[in-house]
Structures are given as C-alpha cells and as structure tokens.
Amino acid sequence: MTEVMTDKQFDKIIKMISMILDGCRDLDEAKRKVNELSDTPKKEKDE
C-alpha cells in the first residue's frame, strides 16, 4: 500500500528543513544536518 503525503504535511517538512538550513554556517554543515535526519546512511568520503 502506498502512503500519500498531504500538502499540509509536505509544507511542514519544507518549513522544518528551512529552519535547519537557516542555522547552518556553510554547505557542508547543512548536508551533515540533513543526512543526520535521513534514514539512509551517508557515504563517508576521504578528505
């Protein structure tokens, strides 16, 4: 069975992501915070 997201749920998720990104200093920090919230493991890269 497929779950359907309502417009209200989608808008709330976008607002939460926007609030997270507003507090970030740079792109790497933003990516790290979003990856921490997702269920998919982040691929570690060697720097």
Side-chain angles (χ1 to χ4, degrees), residues 6-23:
T6 65
D7 289 344
K8 186 175 181 179
Q9 290 170 321
F10 182 75
D11 287 341
K12 190 165 193 160
I13 290 169
I14 295 299
K15 286 178 185 176
M16 290 189 306
I17 293 171
S18 178
M19 290 171 67
I20 292 166
L21 297 179
D22 282 344

Side-chain angles (χ1 to χ4, degrees), residues 22-37:
D22 282 344
C24 295
R25 292 181 296 267
D26 58 20
L27 182 59
D28 288 332
E29 182 180 4
K31 287 180 182 180
R32 182 181 50 78
K33 286 184 177 184
V34 171
N35 282 327
E36 287 175 3
L37 296 174

